[in-house]
């Protein structure tokens, strides 16, 4: 796919005319990030807005003691790096490629021009940022109100909703995250996650099938 076709796959640009897409493609820079490459660090000055064409980007906060909290995992069609451009503050988090990734970046001035010229982009940006705030609120309530067992169960429900595909028998399968990744989403240790997952498996609520985790059709009722 060329740049123009790729830009069409980014939802915030879906309402642009062909001419707009052509000029946007001229302004954006395509770059490959190998697995584990850092796109930028928290607290750096930031001048670029990024769109994900392929791969997955982890948005994370790294503690001084080496621990980390994963704020979000973003995939194709998602964007990031808008906050530093909107509020002129440093980067609010670190962005790391967790798979080989293909990104398109747009410089601050071009991002601002596109935003002020195109109402549809500003509206869809606000809609997506509201969705992120809702998700962050959900994460805050998970951390504040549930014990560690509840948090592990809830993160499974969330992953199944976000990434799951329904199998013919009604069960839901999704990418099996590492125990460390789950731990970093809910502020606990890898060992605790391993213990809790074994327990859920023993109860027949989840199953490991190859690279996927499979949950029962009524898993939400069981866990909620
Ligand atoms: P910026 O602050 O420029 O750099 C880090 C980026 O991570 C930020 O812009 C957002 O694009 C993204 N980000 C920060 N917090 C969240 C969150 N809670 N959910 C999803 N993305 C986020």
């Amino acid at each position: 796919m060329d740049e123009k076709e790729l830009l069409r796959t980014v939802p915030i640009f879906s309402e642009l005319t062909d001419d707009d897409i052509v000029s946007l493609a001229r302004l954006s820079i395509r770059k490959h990030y190998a697995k584990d490459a850092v796109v930028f660090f928290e607290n750096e000055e930031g001048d670029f807005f990024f769109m994900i064409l392929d791969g997955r980007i982890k948005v994370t906060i790294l503690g001084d003691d080496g621990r980390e909290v994963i704020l979000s995992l973003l995939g194709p069609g998602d964007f990031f790096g808008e906050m530093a451009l909107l509020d002129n503050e440093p980067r609010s988090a670190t962005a790391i490629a967790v798979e080989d990734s293909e990104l398109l970046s747009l410089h601050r001035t071009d991002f601002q021009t596109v935003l002020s010229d195109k109402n549809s982009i500003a509206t869809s940006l606000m809609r997506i940022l509201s969705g992120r705030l809702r998700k962050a609120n959900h994460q805050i309530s998970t951390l504040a109100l549930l014990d560690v067992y509840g948090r592990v169960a809830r993160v499974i429900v969330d992953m199944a909703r976000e990434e799951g595909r329904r199998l013919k028998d009604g069960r839901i399968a999704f990418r099996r995250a590492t125990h460390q990744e789950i731990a970093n989403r809910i502020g606990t240790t890898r060992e605790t996650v391993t213990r809790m997952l074994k327990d859920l498996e023993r109860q027949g609520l989840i199953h490991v099938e190859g690279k996927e985790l499979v949950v029962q059709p009524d898993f939400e009722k069981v866990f909620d």
Side-chain angles (χ1 to χ4, degrees):
M1 266 199 267
D2 68 10
E3 234 88 309
K4 283 175 277 161
E5 288 170 67
L6 286 168
L7 275 168
R8 278 252 172 261
T9 67
V10 180
I12 51 167
F13 300 135
S14 60
E15 287 178 32
L16 292 187
T17 63
D18 287 346
D19 286 352
D20 292 335
I21 287 280
V22 171
S23 36
L24 197 60
R26 237 180 266 132
L27 299 172
S28 48
I29 307 156
R30 187 169 170 175
K31 205 170 156 195
H32 179 81
Y33 288 82
K35 181 176 184 302
D36 297 330
V38 174
V39 182
F40 53 69
F41 282 106
E42 181 185 355
N43 289 326
E44 279 178 7
E45 295 300 316
D47 276 323
F48 285 91
F49 169 76
F50 295 89
M51 296 148 276
I52 307 175
L53 300 177
D54 196 23
R56 283 190 322 133
I57 298 291
K58 174 170 75 171
V59 175
T60 191
I61 296 206
L62 305 167
D64 292 338
D65 56 1
R67 290 197 303 156
E68 77 170 302
V69 186
I70 299 177
L71 299 178
S72 190
L73 276 172
L74 304 173
D78 289 331
F79 62 79
F80 62 97
E82 76 295 343
M83 287 171 62
L85 309 190
L86 292 171
D87 65 7
N88 290 318
E89 294 287 333
R91 294 296 190 196
S92 61
T94 298
I96 301 174
V98 286
E99 289 170 8
D100 281 357
S101 300
E102 211 55 37
L103 304 184
L104 268 187
S105 64
L106 200 58
H107 188 263
R108 167 190 290 276
T109 28
D110 298 323
F111 173 71
Q112 275 152 358
T113 309
V114 170
L115 263 196
S116 51
D117 287 359
K118 298 286 157 208
N119 224 342
S120 71
I121 295 190
T123 310
S124 106
L125 192 79
M126 285 191 281
R127 188 176 39 76
I128 292 167
L129 294 184
S130 300
R132 286 188 184 170
L133 187 56
R134 277 179 197 276
K135 227 166 148 183
N137 290 350
H138 178 73
Q139 206 168 352
I140 292 169
S141 72
T142 299
L143 294 175
L145 302 176
L146 300 180
D147 62 15
V148 76
Y149 192 87
R151 287 188 225 164
V152 173
R154 183 170 278 182
V155 89
I156 288 173
V157 172
D158 291 344
M159 286 190 301
R161 279 191 193 135
E162 287 161 18
E163 307 181 25
R165 61 189 175 88
R166 207 166 270 277
L167 304 177
K168 281 201 188 100
D169 61 7
R171 296 181 308 152
I172 296 165
F174 51 97
R175 177 186 63 90
R176 184 151 64 91
T178 65
H179 294 183
Q180 189 64 58
E181 181 187 326
I182 295 176
N184 291 346
R185 275 176 68 141
I186 54 170
T188 186
T189 61
R190 183 174 53 77
E191 291 76 10
T192 303
V193 170
T194 303
R195 201 160 11 96
M196 304 280 160
L197 289 178
K198 273 206 186 112
D199 198 41
L200 291 172
E201 210 174 346
R202 215 175 303 122
Q203 293 180 58
L205 294 172
I206 60 171
H207 300 280
V208 173
E209 291 184 10
K211 288 190 169 169
E212 292 189 310
L213 212 61
V214 181
V215 294
Q216 299 303 322
D218 58 349
F219 70 102
E220 292 177 65
K221 278 186 236 131
V222 179
F223 288 143
D224 269 353

